[in-house]
Amino acid sequence: MAVTAQQILTTLVELGSITKEIADAVQSESLHSGEEPETILLRKHITTEEAILQAKAKLFHIPFISLATQAFSPDVISMIPESVARKYILMPFQYDEKQNTISVAMVDALDFQVIDFLEKKTGKTIAPYMGLKDDILAAMNNAYTQTIGADVSAALKETSTKEIKTYEAGHLGEVIREAPIAQIVSAILEQAMRLRASDVHIEPQELDTRVRYRVDGVLQERLLLPNRLHDAVISRIKILGDMKIDERRIPQDGRFNFKMGDAEVDLRVSSLPTVHGEKIVMRLLKKSGGVPTLPELGLRGLGLKNLEANILRPHGIILVTGPTGSGKTTTLYAVLTKLNNAKVNILTLEDPVEYQIAGVNQVQINPVAGLTFATGLRSFLRQDPNIMLVGEIRDRETTELAIQAALTGHLVFSTLHTNNAAGAIPRLIDLGAEPFLVVSALNAVVGQRIARKICPTCKEEYKPDEAVAKSVREVLGNLLEKDKEISLYRGKGTANNDPCSSCQGTGYLGRIGIFEVFTMTDPISRLTLSRSPMKDIENQAIQEGMITLKQDGYLKALEGTTSIEEVLRVAED
């Protein structure tokens, strides 16, 4: 069945990818120039290759699959050899045991000869799906060539002859120390280090167990394990983390070290009982590499100058604000590293201690034993400190103690969960602090987010459409030259028509902070005393020269450090 260009245009309109007016204009241009409508649509960036393929899939009554976010089970991958997959550009992604059917993404889902060949080779029914060529190639490179797939496939072959069950506590050790299970866990951790992951999630589902990695702040699904292995894999990790393997009803915490080559990481393990079994999350903390400097984190200009001036003051409070996972602790570690020398006594109270800094007295809170932020802070005042770091101000008692410490000659650093820097003042007052004490104690507030950096290997420059350019000009205002032509950057995710090996096809590599910093000036002090709303405090700080989170992000996007989409993802109000 052949489809015409007119049918594709009509289907694109039905799917909402283009308007009827655009379809008519493209059809007219095609008639005059002889150029295919598809080519015109892609050349003018009117729609995407994916949208066109979805339209074709609808016309041919063949399902479309996007493999970009698909995880692959080693069991399924092993059903079609890599040589066959590469020859015909196809990717098996799912197996239905009841129907004996393999779902396969294909560049040409209408090639019935290839489908017939696959059915004879595998002895299974093939369900063809339409997929993008770049997606299929990237999936092949991830699934077939990465060590994790090979390691886990080999381990699965070994375990397929034996049924892995849940044994009594006394006998379970025999199973979890078996080579295949140890090999699977090791492969998962090695992959985490190769991907530069900050967390590994091992999550039981109804039919299988999925493994996800948080890379540059975004979760990526990379592997599916048969659920018959779930209990043994979890038990192996729990033994490594010195946790109780026979206790599955309550959450547990543990830790262990893992070394690959010269790199070593400290893993914090957390288990959680779910309806399908225990879920494990492992946080990876590097034991080497050092703490970055403030400029390396992304602080610069007036914000950096104001922060550096205030951390050199002998007393007062400096707060770092932002949501969970916005890099507040890393910023505080960078500040402490800058201040750390033999002439000052630095004490920290953290939950948990993420990085160890030589020469700094670091304490981890232990609520079960009665060591909380409040009780620890009270003890700190008897330890003759110069500088104190309190992991988080979260209640009235901690707020009062931090202010008391600042007013009695100590420099106090802490974090607050507010959306921006200006929100810190109303938040402190909500926690019970008197406005006149906030004015006396507070030196500066830093608001921050973390955005992914564009991969330098596959970075490309492009001209944004007028709506985006107008938004950039409006947000930056006087920070941008009036008639400056706006160019932005993005990561293609491909290099030389292959998935980019540096960023695994994501277009991003590493992260950078976006910041806003304001200090307690006389006008802001007066607004604090009158309990003015956050917006008034923020407007006053902007008048005094504060660059907002969004402005700092847009400036970094114009420089090509990050993308405009990343800035909007993390810094949009």
Side-chain angles (χ1 to χ4, degrees):
M1 167 187 162
V3 296
T4 64
Q6 181 60 52
Q7 285 177 301
I8 292 172
L9 288 171
T10 304
T11 308
L12 284 168
V13 173
E14 288 171 6
L15 293 172
S17 300
I18 60 173
T19 64
K20 179 73 167 62
E21 292 73 24
I22 289 174
D24 291 342
V26 169
Q27 180 71 8
S28 176
E29 186 177 336
S30 174
L31 290 170
H32 284 91
S33 66
E35 197 175 11
E36 286 294 322
E38 278 182 49
T39 311
I40 297 168
L41 289 168
L42 293 173
R43 177 171 55 78
K44 292 190 170 184
H45 303 290
I46 294 169
T47 190
T48 62
E49 194 178 342
E50 183 173 324
I52 292 170
L53 197 60
Q54 283 177 331
K56 288 180 177 177
K58 186 179 179 184
L59 286 166
F60 285 118
H61 305 290
I62 294 173
F64 171 83
I65 180 75
S66 172
L67 297 178
T69 56
Q70 184 79 30
F72 301 96
S73 165
D75 279 349
V76 178
I77 295 165
S78 62
M79 291 175 182
I80 296 178
E82 183 180 357
S83 57
V84 174
R86 289 197 180 279
K87 181 177 179 180
Y88 298 111
I89 313 181
L90 51 87
M91 185 69 207
F93 63 89
Q94 206 168 56
Y95 175 58
D96 185 331
E97 202 168 343
K98 288 179 185 174
Q99 304 290 330
N100 195 33
T101 300
I102 308 173
S103 298
V104 181
M106 305 174 67
V107 166
D108 185 358
L110 295 169
D111 193 331
F112 299 112
Q113 280 188 310
V114 172
I115 294 168
D116 187 50
F117 164 72
L118 291 174
E119 288 185 337
K120 286 176 180 171
K121 186 168 184 64
T122 61
K124 296 169 175 57
T125 305
I126 299 297
Y129 283 69
M130 280 194 177
L132 283 169
K133 183 178 179 180
D134 287 349
D135 270 8
I136 294 171
L137 290 172
M140 273 194 277
N141 288 334
N142 276 334
Y144 283 110
T145 61
Q146 285 183 1
T147 313
I148 187 165
D151 287 348
V152 173
S153 295
L156 286 173
K157 280 177 187 170
E158 288 187 50
T159 58
S160 61
T161 55
K162 318 170 196 175
E163 189 181 349
I164 302 296
K165 305 181 215 173
T166 305
Y167 291 79
E168 293 298 320
H171 305 288
L172 189 57
E174 298 166 19
V175 180
I176 60 172
R177 287 189 181 86
E178 288 182 6
I181 301 303
Q183 192 177 342
I184 288 171
V185 173
S186 181
I188 289 169
L189 294 175
E190 285 175 22
Q191 175 76 332
M193 293 181 73
R194 273 192 291 271
L195 290 172
R196 304 171 295 103
S198 61
D199 302 85
V200 180
H201 294 237
I202 300 175
E203 302 167 311
Q205 310 288 297
E206 191 175 357
L207 301 174
D208 48 39
T209 294
R210 70 175 177 179
V211 180
R212 296 194 290 172
Y213 298 90
R214 190 175 293 280
V215 181
D216 293 333
V218 178
L219 279 170
Q220 301 178 2
E221 195 170 333
R222 289 276 174 167
L223 182 69
L224 291 173
L225 293 172
N227 56 10
R228 70 176 188 271
L229 297 180
H230 180 78
D231 287 344
V233 168
I234 295 300
S235 296
R236 169 71 180 163
I237 293 168
K238 286 170 79 172
I239 278 203
L240 290 171
D242 200 19
M243 298 153 74
K244 294 178 182 176
I245 59 171
D246 58 341
E247 179 55 84
R248 299 194 181 121
R249 300 164 299 167
I250 58 172
Q252 292 186 67
D253 295 308
R255 63 185 294 180
F256 64 95
N257 291 341
F258 182 77
K259 194 168 183 179
M260 185 176 81
D262 295 330
E264 188 174 1
V265 289
D266 181 13
L267 289 113
R268 305 293 168 91
V269 186
S270 170
S271 73
L272 184 74
T274 73
V275 291
H276 295 302
E278 279 187 290
K279 173 185 173 176
I280 288 275
V281 174
M282 294 181 280
R283 163 68 56 90
L284 281 75
L285 302 170
K286 285 183 183 175
K287 300 191 79 171
S288 57
V291 177
T293 64
L294 292 172
E296 284 170 350
L297 289 175
L299 264 162
R300 60 194 183 173
L302 185 62
L304 177 61
K305 184 182 173 185
N306 283 340
L307 182 58
E308 287 185 330
N310 277 282
I311 66 177
L312 295 176
R313 292 174 67 178
H315 54 80
I317 297 177
I318 294 173
L319 293 174
V320 181
T321 70
T324 302
S326 58
K328 301 186 295 293
T329 305
T330 305
T331 300
L332 289 175
Y333 279 163
V335 170
L336 289 189
T337 304
K338 186 177 176 69
L339 296 174
N340 187 20
N341 62 60
K343 295 178 183 178
V344 291
N345 178 21
I346 302 177
L347 298 171
T348 78
L349 192 59
E350 304 171 61
D351 180 24
V353 175
E354 292 194 9
Y355 298 97
Q356 294 178 17
I357 307 172
V360 175
N361 304 287
Q362 295 173 272
V363 178
Q364 181 160 320
I365 71 163
N366 186 350
V368 176
L371 178 55
T372 63
F373 282 125
T375 57
L377 190 49
R378 194 175 281 111
S379 301
F380 275 13
L381 294 171
R382 298 190 289 272
Q383 287 283 322
D384 185 31
N386 300 102
I387 297 167
M388 292 186 284
L389 184 152
V390 185
E392 185 187 340
I393 292 178
R394 59 172 71 156
D395 55 36
R396 187 187 190 104
E397 191 178 7
T398 314
T399 306
E400 289 173 352
L401 286 166
I403 288 175
Q404 180 191 335
L407 294 175
T408 52
H410 305 91
L411 187 58
V412 181
F413 294 96
S414 192
T415 69
L416 263 183
H417 284 285
T418 62
N419 286 332
N420 55 18
I425 292 174
R427 178 78 178 125
L428 287 174
I429 295 171
D430 287 344
L431 286 169
E434 291 292 342
F436 71 91
L437 291 177
V438 173
V439 167
S440 303
L442 192 61
N443 290 354
V445 184
V446 179
Q448 74 176 77
R449 298 286 190 280
I450 300 185
R452 290 180 292 173
K453 291 164 71 175
I454 297 170
C455 172
T457 307
C458 61
K459 180 160 84 172
E460 67 172 2
E461 186 178 351
Y462 72 98
K463 294 282 184 264
D465 62 46
E466 193 46 48
V468 174
K470 184 183 176 185
S471 170
V472 171
R473 287 194 182 91
E474 285 174 358
V475 169
L476 292 178
N478 296 332
L479 296 172
L480 188 67
E481 293 173 34
K482 210 167 194 181
D483 300 319
K484 181 181 171 68
E485 191 178 359
I486 292 175
S487 292
L488 294 173
Y489 300 82
R490 61 190 167 205
K492 289 189 295 182
T494 57
N496 301 321
N497 295 322
D498 289 320
C500 176
S501 57
S502 300
C503 63
Q504 309 290 324
T506 63
Y508 295 99
L509 185 66
R511 294 195 283 177
I512 190 81
I514 350 182
F515 296 90
E516 61 184 20
V517 182
F518 80 84
T519 56
M520 285 296 287
T521 59
D522 289 341
I524 290 177
S525 296
R526 285 193 290 273
L527 290 170
T528 304
L529 290 168
S530 63
R531 297 177 183 260
S532 296
M534 180 198 74
K535 203 65 191 169
D536 291 354
I537 295 168
E538 184 176 53
N539 289 337
Q540 181 59 42
I542 291 169
Q543 281 181 38
E544 293 172 6
M546 181 181 84
I547 293 174
T548 66
L549 284 168
K550 200 169 180 182
Q551 287 175 331
D552 191 37
Y554 275 22
L555 289 170
K556 288 181 167 96
L558 288 174
E559 291 167 1
T561 307
T562 187
S563 69
I564 207 83
E565 292 81 9
E566 270 299 285
V567 177
L568 293 171
R569 181 178 71 87
V570 301
E572 186 68 82
D573 292 335

